[in-house]
Amino acid sequence: MATRGPKPKPSHLHLVNGNPGKRARNTREAKPPLAEPTPPPHLSDDAKVEWGRVMSQLTKCGLMTEIDRAALAAYCQAYGRWVQAERALAEMAKRDLLTSGLLIKTTGGNAIQNPLVGTANKAMELMLKAAAEFGMTPSARSRINVDIPPGASQPEKQGAARFF
């Protein structure tokens, strides 16, 4: 059964920020081993390209485990769906100089929002929610602390990432 309220803070945040609410801390939090899972075969071509683009980066940051495969697949599929809808809208925009494909006419002659706009917006919303789970947005990255080995340059951040 789902619990109410905001998502619980990771244990690392309790250590850094304290625990003003005096809530019990999970001292036995699961820590699955790091891994580089393969993409599920059902992903679209665009989703597979995105999988390849982000997988190596997530692995380098120490953020990927086998159990995260489905969550990353959801992100990649939402990305693929968003790209597909945006491509279709761009094609329609070439033929529709007035509304750039953002509006269509119903059989009754009324102008309504093109359903592709809703598809693109929903896919983008889902993609950004999933991206935040992996630290792939600027605000999500601000909550991640990465150990950088001595002598490593800033762009080549190595080591495991952890939420602070």
Side-chain angles (χ1 to χ4, degrees):
M1 177 188 254
T3 59
R4 294 183 187 200
K7 290 197 292 190
K9 279 186 188 179
S11 296
H12 303 87
L13 285 177
H14 283 287
L15 293 173
V16 173
N17 298 335
N19 191 2
K22 307 295 183 213
R23 290 180 185 88
R25 202 174 75 212
N26 183 2
T27 57
R28 296 172 32 180
E29 186 174 316
K31 293 179 179 120
L34 299 177
E36 191 169 337
T38 58
H42 68 272
L43 293 181
S44 69
D45 290 341
D46 290 320
K48 287 177 184 173
V49 169
E50 182 67 357
W51 179 284
R53 187 185 75 81
V54 300
M55 177 55 72
S56 64
Q57 297 300 312
L58 291 172
T59 303
K60 283 179 188 176
C61 291
L63 295 172
M64 203 61 213
T65 69
E66 188 66 39
I67 200 165
D68 298 323
R69 181 180 187 234
L72 185 62
Y75 159 78
C76 291
Q77 195 68 356
Y79 173 86
R81 194 162 289 134
W82 172 65
V83 168
Q84 185 179 7
E86 291 294 339
R87 277 193 197 120
L89 282 168
E91 282 299 313
M92 292 180 86
K94 290 178 186 176
R95 296 185 303 267
D96 180 6
L97 300 178
L98 182 61
T99 68
S100 299
L102 298 178
L103 298 175
I104 60 171
K105 282 190 180 180
T106 65
T107 54
N110 297 318
I112 62 167
Q113 177 179 289
N114 186 333
L116 282 172
V117 173
T119 300
N121 289 342
K122 186 64 178 177
M124 183 174 40
E125 178 187 327
L126 294 172
M127 176 185 66
L128 290 174
K129 281 182 180 180
E133 293 291 326
F134 290 98
M136 294 191 297
T137 65
S139 64
R141 271 192 308 278
S142 71
R143 297 187 314 261
I144 298 175
N145 184 10
V146 179
D147 292 330
I148 303 171
S153 63
Q154 190 70 7
E156 300 173 3
K157 292 181 180 178
Q158 300 284 326
R162 65 179 187 274
F163 287 91
F164 60 91

